[in-house]
Amino acid sequence: MSNKDIYILGIESSCDDTSASILKNSKVLSNVIANQNIHKKYGGVVPELASRAHLSNIIPVVDSALKESNVSINKLSAIAFTRGPGLMGSLIIGTEFAKGLGLSLNIPVIDVNHMQAHLLVHFIKNDLKKPLFPFLGVTISGGHTQFILVEDYFKMKILGQTLDDAIGEAFDKCGKKIGLGYPAGPEIDKLAKIGDELRFKFPLPRVKGGDISYSGTKTAFINFLHKEKNQNKNFINDNLNDICASIQKNLIDNLLSKIELLTIENNLNRIVLGGGVSANSYLKKKLDTESEKNNWEVFIPKLEYTTDNAAMIGIVGHLKYKESIESSLNTTPSPRLTF
Ligand code: KG4
Ligand code: ZN
């Protein structure tokens, strides 16, 4: 491998964000994200609408990423794309676009696992400290909640995961029940800031080992609201901040108890977060105090790299390109891709 600069175009289209990014080596030159507001009025992602929006967004988004980076398309070394996990219709758009462009430019395409990318995003060159291996990777998003033993860039093993809903999904579903828009996670976080987290108590699920569950909490929350509204029909409005703070505490405390268990069981003291929920401020606050107590080193991505973005796909493309790992043009999307 020569020490020539490597230029990667990263493409992300696994769910409802169309994103393209250009990286020069491990540095991000551009990271353009087109959010799909169309889903807001349905309170969740509508797969058919998501793939249609990717179709119209993909070329303008890639074009903007190239323009913003000032890199000519002919300079690209390879194109990295999300192969899975995600929505089939959405993944097809990014995968086929990447393959078509790769073929026309005569450069390799590299398939990327979206969940690995949420963790490897920490290896983008910036002013943050990079984690050393091994570490406990915690991917917390609207679609996933996984605990991963990461021994090297591509040596990852799932230690536990959700048995039902993802943590972000639990935030969104509980938020919907109290009239918040989609995605409700950031709004719950904001409203909880002036709420009393000890006001309402919800049971913590008892799941053995590294796995976690969120559907019971959601049901308990719905039943609680139902009961309270029978006594006071304005219950939600009258107590919104306290409700948000209390449910947020339950969802995050559940996660923290598993992190604690898995770090002890696997003798790990580095915790690396990835995915939209890593932006949660109560989680960050609790991790601060817990890391002092347990001697943890905690790594949280920059805000622009917590939610879905193509820079994280680009950095994995860069790491794989250096190892000469390429995909064949027969590669197809894999909605349930694991590792
Ligand atoms: O990683 P991401 O952008 O997309 C998926 O792959 O799902 O994560 C989106 C999820 C949503 O469920 C959203 O409600 C949640 O992350 N989220 C938050 C916060 N910011 C985003 N949840 C709690 N607190 C936040 N500050
Ligand atoms: Zn994601």
Side-chain angles (χ1 to χ4, degrees):
M1 174 94 229
S2 74
N3 53 10
K4 223 173 88 193
D5 287 328
I6 301 168
Y7 290 92
I8 302 285
L9 162 63
I11 293 175
E12 156 61 28
S13 74
S14 65
C15 189
D16 60 338
D17 296 309
T18 320
S19 179
S21 171
I22 304 290
L23 277 80
K24 178 181 178 182
N25 303 317
S26 54
K27 188 163 186 265
V28 176
L29 301 182
S30 64
N31 184 35
V32 176
I33 305 173
N35 304 114
Q36 301 179 1
N37 288 326
I38 179 100
H39 307 287
K40 278 199 194 311
K41 67 175 173 212
Y42 299 101
V45 178
V46 184
E48 173 70 17
L49 296 179
S51 31
R52 284 167 191 250
H54 284 303
L55 256 186
S56 50
N57 287 342
I58 191 122
I59 292 181
V61 164
V62 169
D63 194 42
S64 307
L66 280 163
K67 285 196 177 118
E68 219 177 273
S69 69
N70 258 328
V71 171
S72 130
I73 198 164
N74 297 315
K75 255 189 159 178
L76 293 177
S77 318
I79 303 170
F81 64 94
T82 306
R83 182 173 175 225
L87 301 169
M88 186 54 156
S90 294
L91 292 165
I92 285 176
I93 314 295
T95 304
E96 295 310 301
F97 177 85
K99 282 158 60 179
L101 187 60
L103 189 65
S104 73
L105 294 172
N106 196 23
I107 56 173
V109 290
I110 299 169
D111 67 276
V112 173
N113 179 313
H114 180 92
M115 300 319 294
Q116 284 192 335
H118 267 306
L119 295 176
L120 297 178
V121 75
H122 289 269
F123 296 95
I124 284 174
K125 188 173 179 184
N126 57 34
D127 50 354
L128 297 184
K129 206 169 147 198
K130 314 264 167 289
L132 295 174
F133 299 112
F135 59 75
L136 178 70
V138 182
T139 52
I140 37 178
S141 69
H144 299 270
T145 303
Q146 284 182 330
F147 305 101
I148 301 162
L149 170 64
V150 184
E151 291 180 296
D152 207 334
Y153 294 123
F154 301 110
K155 199 169 170 214
M156 300 192 184
K157 187 178 141 205
I158 298 174
L159 298 174
Q161 57 191 326
T162 181
L163 300 174
D164 38 63
D165 291 348
I167 183 169
E169 192 179 356
F171 267 98
D172 296 339
K173 285 181 174 169
C174 290
K176 193 173 175 183
K177 293 288 165 199
I178 50 173
L180 305 181
Y182 174 84
E187 236 178 303
I188 291 183
D189 189 354
K190 209 158 84 196
L191 290 163
K193 287 204 164 94
I194 51 162
D196 175 1
E197 68 202 31
L198 300 175
R199 173 93 186 279
F200 306 112
K201 292 232 165 23
F202 307 103
L204 276 170
R206 289 165 196 253
V207 178
K208 284 207 185 103
D211 288 333
I212 194 163
S213 164
Y214 278 107
S215 69
T217 310
K218 181 190 63 193
T219 310
F221 186 67
I222 293 170
N223 292 340
F224 156 81
L225 290 177
H226 193 70
K227 209 171 106 210
E228 295 292 342
K229 278 198 300 190
N230 274 343
Q231 286 165 25
N232 167 11
K233 68 178 175 23
N234 291 325
F235 174 75
I236 294 176
N237 272 345
D238 293 350
N239 300 282
L240 192 58
N241 300 94
D242 294 347
I243 297 172
C244 287
S246 303
I247 190 65
Q248 172 174 269
K249 174 178 163 52
N250 180 283
L251 299 175
I252 298 291
D253 285 355
N254 188 4
L255 183 83
L256 285 166
S257 73
K258 294 296 173 173
I259 293 179
E260 199 160 344
L261 175 85
L262 289 169
T263 48
I264 296 169
E265 272 187 8
N266 296 280
N267 200 18
L268 297 165
N269 75 337
R270 282 181 287 270
I271 298 156
V272 174
L273 302 189
V277 183
S278 16
N280 184 268
S281 46
Y282 175 77
L283 171 63
K284 289 185 191 173
K285 193 179 83 185
K286 286 287 281 206
L287 280 171
D288 259 357
T289 43
E290 291 294 311
S291 50
E292 242 174 75
K293 212 169 77 194
N294 299 305
N295 207 13
W296 289 341
E297 208 181 348
V298 177
F299 297 84
I300 299 175
K302 288 198 165 181
L303 195 61
E304 72 249 49
Y305 300 140
T306 55
T307 49
D308 289 349
N309 66 88
M312 69 183 196
I313 306 303
I315 189 66
V316 181
H318 171 81
L319 294 166
K320 284 193 167 181
Y321 186 84
K322 284 206 303 183
E323 302 290 323
S324 303
I325 305 172
E326 298 174 5
S327 316
S328 106
L329 288 176
N330 292 336
T331 306
T332 52
S334 180
R336 293 180 177 275
L337 186 64
T338 182
F339 43 84

